[in-house]
């Protein structure tokens, strides 16, 4: 029994770095259909239309693309304190900091790979202004009808040097459930999908084949239907957004997907996982072999080489 289970409620907000700030803001608003909810310093805060919290993405200008801090929300104050003590005991803690606008005190820490994370509980629920109030009171904001109109942040996929060490951190310190994995012929794990909720996955680590630490593979936004993914491909074509691969269906987790790059170089996935949930309390991880993964995606699409090499920040010389 995982004593940390359910102490983390869900994946929270994520900071992304971009070297072309204005172009990236346009991508998130015009293509993804997100809305701006304030700014601080050089950063702007963007939200998906059904996020109950203040913002979903913090976009910050930097010389290179990449991921800043990834936040998770604790289930309550007691859960927050339990996770903070566990993180401290593991030697991964950085310390307390003021939360981003709309968020309370946040405890900062690092995973074994060096990615920065934060855990918080206090959160300011979003109150839609008059021009974006929803017709239905159980919805955070009116459907924007702009671009892809992504509904929520779905997951983050980190690149890591040691997948197993990072997976164990999520499982043992944050209470994540391991749902699926790639197990190589030598017995090592090259990819691990974990969840804090009953979704198939919230946080993923895949091996960085270039041996670099602290990089991002992608972040993913959920749409309501598969048709939205097809429409996202058409919109990308019209707006000049680079499509890396898809639309297609993953074998792992069965997610219907489209991968694009935002102008700064960060990989963004548009995804629809359908109705697949992990409800079993005694779920055992599904292991995929090298031979099975060599078959490609669910309907036979081969995994393209850039999926194994492109990450942010970019490798030296890329």
């Amino acid at each position: 029994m995982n004593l940390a289970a359910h102490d983390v409620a869900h994946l929270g907000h994520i900071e992304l770095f971009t070297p072309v700030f204005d172009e990236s803001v346009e991508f998130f608003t015009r293509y993804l259909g997100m809305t701006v909810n304030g700014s601080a310093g050089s950063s702007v805060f963007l939200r998906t239309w059904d996020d109950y919290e203040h913002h979903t993405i913090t976009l910050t200008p930097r010389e290179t693309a990449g991921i800043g801090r990834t936040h998770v929300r604790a289930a309550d104050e007691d859960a927050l304190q339990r996770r903070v003590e566990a993180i401290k005991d593991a030697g991964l803690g950085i310390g307390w900091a003021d939360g981003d606008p709309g968020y309370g005190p946040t405890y900062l820490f690092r995973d074994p790979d060096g990615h920065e994370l934060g855990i918080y509980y206090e959160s300011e629920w979003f109150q839609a202004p008059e021009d974006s109030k929803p017709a239905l009171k159980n919805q955070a904001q009116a459907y924007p009808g702009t671009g892809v109109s992504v509904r929520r942040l779905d997951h983050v996929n980190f690149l890591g040097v040691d997948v197993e060490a990072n997976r164990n951190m999520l499982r043992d310190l944050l209470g994540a459930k391991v749902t699926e994995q790639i197990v190589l012929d030598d017995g090592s794990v090259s990819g691990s999908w974990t969840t804090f909720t009953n979704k198939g996955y919230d946080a993923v680590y895949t091996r960085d084949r270039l041996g670099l630490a602290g990089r991002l593979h992608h972040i993913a936004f959920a749409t309501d239907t598969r048709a939205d993914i097809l429409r996202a491909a058409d919109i990308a074509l019209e707006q000049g957004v680079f499509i890396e691969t898809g639309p297609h269906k993953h074998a792992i987790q069965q997610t219907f997907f489209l991968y694009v790059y935002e102008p700064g170089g960060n990989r963004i996935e548009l995804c629809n996982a359908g109705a697949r949930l992990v409800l079993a309390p005694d779920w055992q991880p599904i292991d995929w072999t090298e031979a099975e993964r060599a078959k490609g995606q669910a309907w036979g699409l081969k995994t393209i080489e850039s999926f194994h090499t492109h990450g942010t920040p970019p490798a030296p010389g890329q």
Side-chain angles (χ1 to χ4, degrees):
M1 181 178 183
N2 190 337
L3 298 179
H6 309 301
D7 272 1
V8 170
H10 60 78
L11 178 67
H13 49 296
I14 293 177
E15 182 179 31
L16 285 181
F17 300 140
T18 173
V20 287
F21 182 74
D22 291 340
E23 291 93 330
S24 292
V25 171
E26 182 177 15
F27 169 90
F28 280 90
T29 54
R30 182 167 173 253
Y31 177 66
L32 293 185
M34 298 175 69
T35 53
V36 174
N37 191 30
S39 61
S42 60
S43 299
V44 67
F45 306 115
L46 298 140
R47 51 175 287 106
T48 57
W49 61 269
D50 205 22
D51 192 340
Y52 74 92
E53 296 188 285
H54 182 272
H55 61 271
T56 314
I57 296 295
T58 302
L59 197 60
T60 301
R62 283 287 191 279
E63 289 187 2
T64 60
I67 190 166
R69 188 187 306 154
T70 299
H71 298 85
V72 296
R73 190 180 185 199
D76 54 38
E77 289 286 359
D78 290 340
L80 174 61
Q81 294 304 320
R82 285 193 296 269
R83 291 309 97 220
V84 168
E85 290 307 311
I87 292 165
K88 287 180 179 178
D89 290 346
L92 296 174
I94 298 174
W96 287 98
D98 292 335
D100 288 348
Y103 300 91
T106 302
Y107 188 77
L108 310 184
F109 60 104
R110 295 191 186 278
D111 65 16
D113 206 69
H115 300 93
E116 184 175 310
L117 297 97
I119 184 169
Y120 66 96
Y121 172 64
E122 292 180 20
S123 181
E124 173 189 300
W125 282 49
F126 177 72
Q127 298 295 318
E130 285 298 325
D131 61 356
S132 62
K133 281 193 172 180
L136 299 175
K137 63 191 297 184
N138 56 0
Q139 187 171 299
Q141 180 180 337
Y143 180 77
T146 299
V148 183
S149 294
V150 290
R151 183 166 195 147
R152 58 175 172 80
L153 178 67
D154 189 78
H155 64 268
V156 57
N157 187 320
F158 300 105
L159 288 170
V161 174
D162 186 338
V163 169
E164 292 168 78
N166 289 290
R167 174 204 64 193
N168 294 349
M169 181 275 298
L170 288 177
R171 182 190 64 199
D172 301 338
L173 299 185
L174 300 183
K177 179 182 292 184
V178 181
T179 56
E180 303 196 32
Q181 301 186 122
I182 300 173
V183 181
L184 302 182
D185 293 345
D186 64 6
S188 66
V189 176
S190 67
S192 183
W193 284 253
T194 69
T195 185
F196 302 116
T197 59
N198 59 11
K199 291 163 48 198
Y201 55 119
D202 295 303
V204 184
Y205 282 94
T206 49
R207 182 176 296 173
D208 193 319
R209 293 196 181 183
L210 302 182
L212 302 173
R215 297 208 299 161
L216 173 70
H217 192 272
H218 69 269
I219 63 169
F221 295 93
T223 64
D224 283 343
T225 69
R226 285 186 178 185
D228 290 328
I229 304 297
L230 298 175
R231 188 171 61 88
D234 283 334
I235 297 171
L237 183 65
E238 294 294 343
Q239 294 188 9
V241 172
F242 174 73
I243 296 175
E244 182 187 32
T245 186
H248 208 82
K249 178 180 175 178
H250 281 303
I252 296 176
Q253 303 289 355
Q254 300 187 28
T255 305
F256 197 71
F257 67 82
L258 174 72
Y259 288 93
V260 302
Y261 293 173
E262 61 88 19
N266 295 300
R267 180 187 284 109
I268 305 295
E269 181 185 11
L270 289 311
C271 67
N272 179 260
R276 185 170 184 270
L277 299 174
V278 176
L279 300 176
D282 53 352
W283 178 271
Q284 296 301 308
I286 304 298
D287 290 344
W288 297 81
T289 67
E290 281 191 51
E292 289 168 335
R293 293 307 306 125
K295 295 177 181 178
Q297 304 307 321
W299 300 326
L301 178 72
K302 296 301 181 183
T303 304
I304 61 174
E305 183 60 26
S306 63
F307 212 66
H308 299 304
T309 57
H310 179 83
T312 50
Q318 282 190 340

